[in-house]
Amino acid sequence: MRIFDTATSSVRALDSAPTARLYVCGITPYDATHLGHAFTYLTYDLAQRVLRDAGHTVLYVQNVTDIDDPLLERADRDGLDWRDLAAREIALFREDMTALRMLPPDAYVGVVEAIPMIVDMVAELVDRGAAYHVDDDLYFSIAAAPAFGDISHLSRAEMLAICTERGGDPQRAGKKDPLDPLLWRAQRPGEPSWPSPFGPGRPGWHIECSAIARHHLGGVVDIQGGGTDLSFPHHECSAAHAEVAAGARPFARSYVHTAMVSLDGHKMSKSRGNLEFVSRLRRAGTDLAALRLALLDHRHTDDWEWTAGLLADAVARVERWRAAVALPAGPDATPVLATVRERLADDLDAPGALAAVDAWVEAALADAGGTDAGGPAGTSSRGFGGAAGAGGEAPALVARLVDTLLGVDLEPVRPRGS
Ligand code: 5CA
Ligand code: ZN
């Protein structure tokens, strides 16, 4: 499998070791899952499917930022306990991911439960001389990380501008370098805190991912994933923490960043409020196989804009797919299986994979409209139970490959309550 790596700006082969390690940055649970989140998690769901199909064991870890400024601010605004807000949004996220048939991570780890391992890692960075105090807060010195900047390749001016936008504090007095990120934030009045050798407080953002990835995956991760908005400063800083603590590079072999989904001309974001929620679409009775197809019809490397028209098109598409796999027979499906595998292995070209299924569906429907729905004798299809790919076996093979490789269930939609 080949995938686009931000650090080298190139499509690279993933390491072909038997076990593939994926670390994907999870949500900050202060609001519901929107389609941008869903598109990001779909990227790694597909990566997992392709790797498993190729025979790899996949170890997939995702965090959840269940303590951070935006969560405390929202809880305060809405008069909620931050723990209740996080628990509610995490439960909704998990329902949304299940409804979209995302393969779950092997470990889904909250920051609160990970505080001991985070404290250990901060202590290591202190021991290595990579941390310093500003008042009672602890900062990481990027000067200790010679490779800092090698993932996102931004100019210093760009880094400074983006850092302010994405939770950094370059203007704070007393820092050695304005870009130095916070490792441990000393307790402020009214804020939750945990005890530590550096005083009561809570972790900075980036160290959570370094510590959780190291604890649950060990060694070098194959893919560090998230949206493009995480490449800087988040992934740059968490890789720097991990590399300095380990005294070895790299933290990840590939840094994979999913492009942004927008709505009304702007990146869909909780802070801006231009959102389409998975849960709203679910409540509206949306066909979730169609929703998944609508997301799949975009490359993970291209930004795109959500519109209701995309969903309508996907509904029409999935209806044709369902009609075709319900036929008693169809054209040989083994080439479709080969093409879908080949397209997905090529930097997760999901739209290319969908086009291959479309071609089979149209041929099957055209054949069914004619006289002879049969085909030549089947050939065996690796990994799909030795199912023959042609004639009467073909529709079942297509349904299975669409289910397994694309995660789209083509069972007829049953009316609610039955
Ligand atoms: N908790 C941190 C990561 S440690 C965080 O960024 N949380 S988040 O809730 O803001 O985002 C969760 C994931 O969704 C991130 O990978 C982010 O890059 C991705 N994401 C957010 N908005 C969009 C969007 N509009 N399009 C695509 N992906 C998005
Ligand atoms: Zn993260």
Side-chain angles (χ1 to χ4, degrees), residues 25-28 34 36-37 40-41 63 65 205 208-209 226-227 229-230 234 259-261 267-268 270:
C25 285
I27 56 160
T28 304
H34 59 63
H37 301 134
T40 282
Y41 298 114
N63 72 311
T65 308
W205 175 23
E208 73 187 54
C209 288
D229 58 344
L230 296 188
H234 185 52
M260 291 291 115
V261 181
K267 172 196 155 185
M268 226 183 252
K270 291 182 272 205

Side-chain angles (χ1 to χ4, degrees), residues 77-99:
R77 187 196 83 177
D78 294 354
L80 294 167
D81 185 302
W82 61 274
R83 282 161 291 220
D84 296 337
L85 173 61
R88 182 182 83 194
E89 298 304 339
I90 290 168
L92 187 62
F93 172 74
R94 297 178 82 148
E95 281 172 27
D96 288 343
M97 292 297 106
T98 305

Side-chain angles (χ1 to χ4, degrees), residues 382-408:
R382 169 174 63 93
F384 280 76
E393 307 281 349
L397 176 60
V398 172
R400 269 194 83 192
L401 80 90
V402 165
D403 177 0
T404 310
L405 296 172
L406 298 171
V408 175

Side-chain angles (χ1 to χ4, degrees), residues 21 85 98 118 150 156 311 315 341:
R21 294 174 163 77
L85 173 61
T98 305
I118 296 170
D150 283 4
R156 196 162 160 95
L311 185 58
V315 167
R341 279 181 163 144

Side-chain angles (χ1 to χ4, degrees), residues 45-333:
D45 171 84
L46 284 179
Q48 185 172 189
R49 289 173 190 274
V50 173
L51 289 164
R52 285 189 182 201
D53 181 49
H56 295 277
T57 299
V58 177
L59 284 179
Y60 176 9
V61 177
Q62 193 182 120
N63 72 311
V64 51
T65 308
D66 58 0
I67 177 69
D68 203 1
D69 297 344
L71 185 70
L72 296 176
E73 282 157 20
R74 180 64 64 94
D76 208 34
R77 187 196 83 177
D78 294 354
L80 294 167
D81 185 302
W82 61 274
R83 282 161 291 220
D84 296 337
L85 173 61
R88 182 182 83 194
E89 298 304 339
I90 290 168
L92 187 62
F93 172 74
R94 297 178 82 148
E95 281 172 27
D96 288 343
M97 292 297 106
T98 305
L100 284 172
R101 304 186 87 225
M102 305 287 186
L103 298 177
D106 298 286
Y108 186 53
V109 188
V111 174
V112 170
E113 67 184 295
I115 298 259
M117 64 189 79
I118 296 170
V119 167
D120 285 350
M121 200 158 183
V122 174
E124 282 174 53
L125 293 172
V126 171
D127 289 346
R128 288 185 177 268
Y132 63 94
H133 277 102
V134 176
D135 305 323
D136 290 334
D137 298 326
L138 261 183
Y139 280 85
F140 176 78
S141 176
I142 59 168
F148 189 86
D150 283 4
I151 298 168
S152 44
H153 303 289
L154 298 170
S155 68
R156 196 162 160 95
E158 288 169 320
M159 289 199 253
L160 284 165
I162 297 176
C163 191
T164 315
E165 253 171 56
R166 301 189 188 149
D169 58 358
Q171 68 301 326
R172 181 164 181 187
K175 288 169 67 172
K176 290 186 180 165
D177 185 313
L179 293 173
D180 287 346
L182 189 63
L183 278 174
W184 188 258
R185 177 179 156 93
Q187 183 180 19
R188 306 294 196 270
E191 283 190 4
S193 73
W194 289 264
S196 85
F198 352 97
R202 57 184 167 97
W205 175 23
H206 319 297
I207 190 72
E208 73 187 54
C209 288
S210 333
I212 293 170
R214 178 175 74 167
H215 186 86
H216 288 274
L217 292 172
V220 180
V221 309
D222 294 287
I223 293 180
Q224 153 78 88
T228 48
D229 58 344
L230 296 188
S231 64
F232 189 86
H234 185 52
H235 289 171
E236 202 75 70
C237 291
S238 45
H241 297 333
E243 290 171 2
V244 171
R249 303 192 54 230
F251 165 63
R253 291 195 177 89
S254 303
Y255 294 87
V256 177
H257 293 112
T258 304
M260 291 291 115
V261 181
S262 60
L263 180 66
D264 303 331
H266 295 277
K267 172 196 155 185
M268 226 183 252
S269 76
K270 291 182 272 205
S271 44
R272 191 174 187 101
N274 54 329
L275 304 165
E276 181 57 277
F277 295 115
V278 176
S279 45
R280 194 200 71 78
L281 291 168
R282 279 167 51 207
R283 279 195 307 273
T286 304
D287 178 343
L288 296 170
L291 178 56
R292 197 172 152 110
L293 267 192
L295 299 174
L296 280 167
D297 208 13
H298 301 273
R299 293 213 59 154
H300 77 104
T301 41
D302 298 337
D303 290 341
W304 57 284
E305 169 122 7
W306 172 257
T307 61
L310 294 178
L311 185 58
D313 292 348
V315 167
R317 192 179 212 174
V318 84
E319 277 167 9
R320 291 185 78 72
W321 287 21
R322 287 199 180 106
V325 301
L327 291 169
D332 186 5

